[in-house]
Amino acid sequence: MEKNGVGLETELRLGLPGGDVEKNEKKRVFLDFCGGEDKTAAAAESKNQVVGWPPVAAFRRRNSFNGGGAKMYVKVSMDGAPFLRKVDLSMHKGYSQLVKALEELFGCFGIVRDTNPQAPTTKTGPTPWEALKDEEENCEYVPIYEDKDGDWMLLGDVPWEARFGKCLIGQFQVKPDIIIYDPKMFTESCKRLRIMKRADTNGVGLRAKDLLKGLSKEE
Amino acid sequence: MLNYFPEEVLEHVFDFVTSHRDRNAVSLVCKSWYSVERFSREKVFIGNCYAVNPERVIARFPRVRSLTLKGKPHFADFNLVPPDWGGYVYPWIEAMAKHGINLEELRLKRMVVSDESLELLAKSFPNFKSLVLVSCEGFTTDGLAAIASNCRFLRELDLQENEVDDRKGQWLSCFPDSCTSLISLNFACLKGEVNAAALERLVARCPNLRSLRLNHAVPLDTLQKILTQAPQLNDLGTGSFVHDPDSETCGKLKNAMKKCKSIRSLSGFLDVNARCLPAVYPICTNLTSLNLSYAPGIYSNDLIKLICHCKKLERLWVCFFIKLIHYTYFFSGVPLSNQGLNWIMQILDTIGDKGLGAVASTCKELQELRVFPSDLYGVGNAGVTEEGLVAISAGCPKLNSILYFCQQMTNAALITVAKNCPNFIRFRLCTLNPTIPDAVTNLPLDEGFGAIVQSCKGLKRLSVSGLLTDQVFLYIGMYAEQLEMLSIAFAGDSDKGMLYVLNGCKKLKKLEIRDSPFGNVALLADVGKYETMRSLWMSSCEVTFGACKTLAEKMPRLNVEIINEGEEIEASPDDRHRVEKMYLYRTLVGPRRDAPDFVWTL
């Protein structure tokens, strides 16, 4: 495989990789893919991140790191609302942020609480799917989206987007943050969103049995 | 002998002495020189707005026309200084207005600027010509509207990286039709829209316009029309650079660019469709300065293509972004092998370094390089390593200023860089993991930085990072004779480290330290030293209240400020209690009266 800076795109062929792995092999001990993570400020200030480090000016942080620059506006309709809105998917790092934005757009709260199917069960509240299946909980609405095949899908089954996860180089954990284009991921496959009234779903696809099956697959 | 020259002659000679340091030196020679100098000084530079007050400055320099002020400490950029700490410009403007100063130019950095200040400024100084605000905050577009409306002879409005509230009041439309004097207009940091027609008319009626930097809300077709009106531009910041590359607009843009034979500096691309980039190729050949650090949409391949056209580049600010495509094989349920992932990671690691390789082979005139990280959410990024830096040092012998964020570094690389580039004036290295050792040997990076300070005899500014012991500070103290500013984070083992620096660096002006084990012994060893410096910042170190109080008592001409952020606002904390944030600076005017509750001046 040639290493040509300008022609890099064409050099990245599909297929099983092999050969040419001399240089950094020693340093790569383990790489774990976990796509679709929510990058909240709290996560950033975990032990791998320190206040004010790396020392990039606050203005620059706010204005130049938006993960790729390509805007992804999709229409959002809400059952019962007279007009549609638009959201830019590239502005959000995960499902939780998107749902919060939707709640704010339409002034309706409790669409789904804590929509991050990849997060481990939090001690503070029900997981999103528990909330969905429990009709006493306060979620009158169900968010769905239309994918590239024209099918209407429940939000949250696929990873938000494809990113590399953590990896170890020597003994130091680094987290390269590269977005990978993958048409199966939510942000690439979502054509439009709809906030549907729970009553209209007839509970199909949301029964406890199905949910628990789905949950155990993710664990 | 010069004492016998009449004052008019001295004044004439002093006209040729322009740098403020030289003028300061001139004023110390004797009383008559002091007197002549102070009446003739028009440009005053104040590096710390709290070192002096407006009344004293006006009293000494009654003919001041241009004032430069700096407010908050540098670490405020990284959220280490709470809001409302200080740095207000209003008292300065108020005082100058009251004393009838003929102010023409105001340049501010890290200060709080209110709309009231801007309104007062706009209405008080009829000859006002130039406003430069860098990293300031506190104002809105209403304040800008006041400047635009009232400053009849405005030549320069330069807003760099300020936090500005947008009031949607069409501030740019407030420039009257009679305003034809603009030479420089930079509003790249503003978030809101400006009226495109008003902007085009403004550009058309200002024939001396040399520098224009637009914000992201200005679309490409407006840019095209502007460039047609202003082919004389030297410095261009594009706004949005998004369009259908096959459109007529893009074609017209390229033609307009071809006519702009004077553009030497290019920035912007705040929103970009990389396929439109070839429109700027015609101006690349003559570019000396290129800032793509706010252009997240230019991925590395396109970046490299662009840079290859820029053979005369002297200044480059850049980040490396990667977007891989067509990797569905790896995510369609086929488990990823370690080998496969290694392969990807290897490529990703080298994209940034390859980009720098392209710079090294193309930009032989390069003097200043800044490489920013592409994303902050991870501890590391697949950007650049020590290899990129070595390549640059080998290919660009004129390099004298660098800011380099990287995920790893080695002593060997730094030693090579030091050998290749002995002319560094500014050397700032930042490893994304702040205590990472040499990537190959696992040793501290002491030897590498030691080589830098030993080789670069003109080094004035240094930022160190990575795993570092007291040894690196021994080297810095021994060799960095011209060093004026030093930034330290997560480094050193003991007070000895800080002592080496304070004893050795005779020209040190600013020292900023965070999260390092330096304590009272180092702080108090040579208290007189701090009067030779502008300021010292220490946060998350080992200094205690007691030591700070002792220092404040011994040195009445220092303000020793303790910044308390809410946790323990005790009436009188224990002397043995560690201080979280301390900022001390020399001053002629004692404790400042505008300090908020959480700042204690001891």
Side-chain angles (χ1 to χ4, degrees):
Chain A
M1 184 198 61
E2 278 193 272
K3 303 212 177 151
N4 173 352
V6 176
L8 251 157
E9 268 177 46
T10 58
E11 297 298 328
L12 299 173
R13 295 187 296 276
L14 297 176
L16 295 174
D20 273 21
V21 211
E22 347 74 40
K23 191 177 78 148
N24 291 324
E25 202 167 0
K26 269 193 291 244
K27 298 178 191 172
R28 306 278 182 274
V29 176
F30 156 75
L31 194 143
D32 159 58
F33 169 63
C34 43
E37 263 177 62
D38 237 348
K39 305 245 180 1
T40 61
E45 308 234 321
S46 68
K47 69 174 169 94
N48 276 338
Q49 199 95 1
V50 171
V51 172
W53 196 268
V56 174
F59 181 89
R60 188 174 286 280
R61 278 174 190 255
R62 278 190 286 269
N63 291 287
S64 72
F65 300 112
N66 59 7
K71 297 220 185 296
M72 300 166 156
Y73 280 105
V74 295
K75 291 186 191 169
V76 189
S77 63
M78 175 158 155
D79 289 0
F83 47 76
L84 280 61
R85 302 294 301 267
K86 269 199 165 171
V87 285
D88 177 8
L89 295 180
S90 69
M91 290 304 293
H92 305 291
K93 297 275 180 187
Y95 286 112
S96 304
Q97 281 190 23
L98 173 65
V99 169
K100 272 201 200 90
L102 293 178
E103 289 176 342
E104 269 162 40
L105 263 187
F106 288 100
C108 62
F109 293 87
I111 291 182
V112 180
R113 231 170 296 160
D114 192 24
T115 344
N116 186 345
Q118 262 106 44
T121 315
T122 56
K123 303 171 198 69
T124 49
T127 61
W129 315 117
E130 285 167 11
L132 259 183
K133 77 184 186 228
D134 184 349
E135 276 160 49
E136 267 126 57
E137 291 290 351
N138 213 359
C139 47
E140 201 186 326
Y141 296 100
V142 172
I144 58 178
Y145 70 97
E146 184 184 358
D147 74 356
K148 291 227 153 85
D149 297 328
D151 298 319
W152 285 94
M153 317 282 294
L154 184 65
L155 213 69
D157 284 335
V158 297
W160 177 261
E161 64 193 345
R163 280 175 178 251
F164 273 127
K166 301 182 278 289
C167 74
L168 289 180
I169 296 182
Q171 70 210 74
F172 301 100
Q173 194 174 65
V174 296
K175 193 135 166 278
D177 208 65
I178 306 112
I179 304 164
I180 299 167
Y181 172 82
D182 185 331
K184 290 186 186 46
M185 300 295 117
F186 173 72
T187 48
E188 300 292 349
S189 63
C190 171
K191 270 173 49 189
R192 54 188 299 167
L193 285 159
R194 175 178 163 201
I195 302 174
M196 186 175 173
K197 279 217 170 78
R198 180 186 182 77
D200 293 343
T201 67
N202 299 323
V204 173
L206 300 172
R207 281 176 305 172
K209 217 170 52 163
D210 293 342
L211 282 168
L212 290 173
K213 224 193 320 175
L215 268 178
S216 66
K217 241 198 271 177
E218 276 159 18
E219 235 75 321
Chain B
M1 203 190 303
L2 282 169
N3 282 340
Y4 300 119
F5 283 5
E7 286 192 354
E8 300 79 41
V9 175
L10 279 180
E11 205 175 303
H12 188 65
V13 171
F14 293 168
D15 276 350
F16 293 97
V17 180
T18 46
S19 105
H20 66 270
R21 290 190 189 189
D22 290 341
R23 294 209 75 134
N24 290 345
V26 156
S27 67
L28 291 174
V29 167
C30 65
K31 280 207 180 114
S32 83
W33 280 39
Y34 177 91
S35 176
V36 173
E37 195 282 316
R38 72 177 254 259
F39 282 108
S40 63
R41 192 176 317 200
E42 293 185 344
K43 291 197 174 155
V44 175
F45 170 86
I46 296 173
N48 174 5
C49 65
Y50 290 121
V52 76
N53 64 29
E55 285 71 30
R56 284 183 74 138
V57 173
I58 294 168
R60 182 169 167 191
F61 303 114
R63 304 235 176 95
V64 59
R65 294 210 202 163
S66 162
L67 182 65
T68 302
L69 285 170
K70 295 189 180 184
K72 300 186 203 178
H74 175 232
F75 275 0
D77 282 353
F78 316 128
N79 296 328
L80 290 178
V81 176
D84 303 331
W85 172 85
Y88 305 101
V89 75
Y90 189 86
W92 292 84
I93 298 176
E94 192 184 30
M96 286 190 288
K98 197 168 86 170
H99 289 92
I101 297 293
N102 181 18
L103 191 68
E104 294 183 4
E105 201 175 277
L106 186 62
R107 313 166 92 84
L108 306 176
K109 186 166 186 180
R110 285 192 209 98
M111 295 204 63
V112 179
V113 181
S114 60
D115 281 346
E116 289 76 27
S117 316
L118 291 176
E119 280 152 27
L120 186 60
L121 178 70
K123 300 198 173 127
S124 309
F125 307 107
N127 292 321
F128 193 73
K129 295 191 172 67
S130 168
L131 181 62
V132 180
L133 302 178
V134 181
S135 301
C136 296
E137 53 167 352
F139 60 104
T140 76
T141 47
D142 288 350
L144 297 178
I147 298 284
S149 312
N150 295 295
C151 301
R152 291 191 299 148
F153 304 114
L154 194 69
R155 288 194 201 157
E156 181 175 25
L157 179 60
D158 185 0
L159 307 171
Q160 300 177 30
E161 304 186 343
N162 304 289
E163 287 297 337
V164 185
D165 272 341
D166 193 277
R167 290 279 168 87
K168 306 203 190 310
Q170 299 299 339
W171 65 275
L172 192 112
S173 309
C174 294
F175 281 107
D177 289 340
S178 54
C179 172
T180 57
S181 48
L182 275 181
I183 297 180
S184 166
L185 178 62
N186 172 5
F187 60 94
C189 63
L190 299 187
K191 307 268 177 19
E193 288 184 8
V194 294
N195 183 301
L199 175 60
E200 289 166 39
R201 282 197 308 271
L202 180 63
V203 170
R205 67 176 182 271
C206 293
N208 296 322
L209 193 67
R210 290 281 174 274
S211 167
L212 179 64
R213 298 191 186 185
L214 310 170
N215 74 350
H216 78 99
V218 178
L220 193 104
D221 51 331
T222 306
L223 172 66
Q224 177 262 312
K225 290 186 201 147
I226 288 174
L227 285 181
T228 317
Q229 296 279 9
Q232 78 282 5
L233 285 178
N234 283 345
D235 166 32
L236 174 66
T238 71
S240 160
F241 212 76
V242 174
H243 215 276
D244 174 1
D246 301 317
S247 66
E248 197 189 334
T249 306
C250 270
K252 282 197 216 166
L253 178 66
K254 192 160 189 176
N255 287 333
M257 289 274 182
K258 285 189 189 147
K259 300 209 175 79
C260 294
K261 300 205 184 291
S262 305
I263 295 185
R264 297 286 173 271
S265 163
L266 184 63
S267 61
F269 303 98
L270 308 170
D271 244 329
V272 56
N273 177 348
R275 289 178 50 224
C276 294
L277 282 178
V280 306
Y281 289 173
I283 56 171
C284 286
T285 17
N286 287 320
L287 277 186
T288 55
S289 168
L290 180 60
N291 180 352
L292 297 173
S293 62
Y294 285 102
I298 302 183
Y299 296 109
S300 301
N301 302 339
D302 299 302
L303 183 59
I304 292 170
K305 277 188 223 167
L306 181 65
I307 289 176
C308 286
H309 285 83
C310 304
K311 298 192 178 3
K312 295 196 186 155
L313 222 50
E314 293 171 15
R315 198 166 88 131
L316 175 64
W317 292 22
V318 75
C319 359
F320 291 104
F321 295 95
I322 301 108
K323 187 167 188 175
L324 299 181
I325 60 174
H326 301 312
Y327 265 80
T328 51
Y329 263 42
F330 294 96
F331 299 105
S332 53
V334 176
L336 292 159
S337 70
N338 270 344
Q339 237 191 354
L341 293 170
N342 287 344
W343 181 62
I344 298 174
M345 291 309 302
Q346 193 185 341
I347 297 176
L348 297 177
D349 270 359
T350 61
I351 284 182
D353 287 337
K354 280 205 180 326
L356 290 176
V359 173
S361 31
T362 313
C363 308
K364 296 303 182 187
E365 303 298 314
L366 198 68
Q367 295 177 28
E368 176 181 329
L369 175 68
R370 296 197 189 191
V371 182
F372 295 95
S374 57
D375 197 298
L376 291 172
Y377 288 107
V379 172
N381 76 326
V384 296
T385 70
E386 75 278 8
E387 296 197 4
L389 184 60
V390 170
I392 289 284
S393 72
C396 307
K398 297 189 182 177
L399 199 63
N400 61 40
S401 170
I402 189 156
L403 170 62
Y404 196 76
F405 287 84
C406 55
Q407 63 172 345
Q408 63 184 54
M409 188 46 58
T410 65
N411 285 308
L414 285 173
I415 291 168
T416 306
V417 168
K419 227 185 316 192
N420 290 338
C421 291
N423 298 318
F424 275 118
I425 298 174
R426 275 172 240 109
F427 190 88
R428 296 159 70 188
L429 190 81
C430 178
T431 54
L432 292 168
N433 174 342
T435 53
I436 196 171
D438 182 313
V440 169
T441 65
N442 272 340
L443 293 173
L445 291 174
D446 300 334
E447 297 306 310
F449 282 105
I452 294 287
V453 292
Q454 200 173 349
S455 163
C456 304
K457 306 217 187 300
L459 194 68
K460 289 194 182 170
R461 182 168 182 184
L462 177 65
S463 301
V464 294
S465 68
L467 184 66
L468 296 166
T469 71
D470 287 343
Q471 183 73 8
V472 71
F473 300 112
L474 173 66
Y475 291 140
I476 292 173
M478 264 171 66
Y479 295 113
E481 289 172 11
Q482 303 299 321
L483 196 66
E484 295 180 5
M485 182 169 178
L486 178 61
S487 307
I488 300 172
F490 304 94
D493 305 313
S494 74
D495 284 327
K496 281 205 227 140
M498 186 168 164
L499 284 169
Y500 291 142
V501 171
L502 291 176
N503 292 335
C505 299
K506 300 294 178 209
K507 297 207 175 170
L508 196 63
K509 292 267 166 299
K510 288 186 279 187
L511 179 58
E512 46 187 25
I513 307 173
R514 63 167 292 184
D515 294 273
S516 301
F518 305 138
N520 300 337
V521 170
L523 183 69
L524 296 175
D526 178 8
V527 294
K529 172 81 175 171
Y530 305 123
E531 274 192 10
T532 69
M533 291 167 55
R534 186 185 296 173
S535 64
L536 168 67
W537 169 282
M538 293 181 76
S539 60
S540 306
C541 297
E542 302 294 325
V543 294
T544 66
F545 268 107
C548 292
K549 283 202 289 200
T550 308
L551 178 56
E553 271 164 45
K554 286 192 183 169
M555 303 295 295
R557 284 192 300 196
L558 294 181
N559 278 350
V560 180
E561 292 188 8
I562 308 294
I563 299 171
N564 276 307
E565 280 174 286
E567 287 169 2
E568 352 80 38
I569 316 184
E570 304 159 19
S572 50
D574 198 308
D575 276 2
R576 288 162 300 175
H577 209 92
R578 242 171 30 99
V579 165
E580 195 45 46
K581 291 179 183 170
M582 179 202 74
Y583 178 55
L584 68 81
Y585 51 90
R586 65 183 175 191
T587 179
L588 297 173
V589 292
R592 55 188 175 107
R593 278 171 236 130
D594 62 4
D597 288 337
F598 56 82
V599 172
W600 301 350
T601 308
L602 298 177

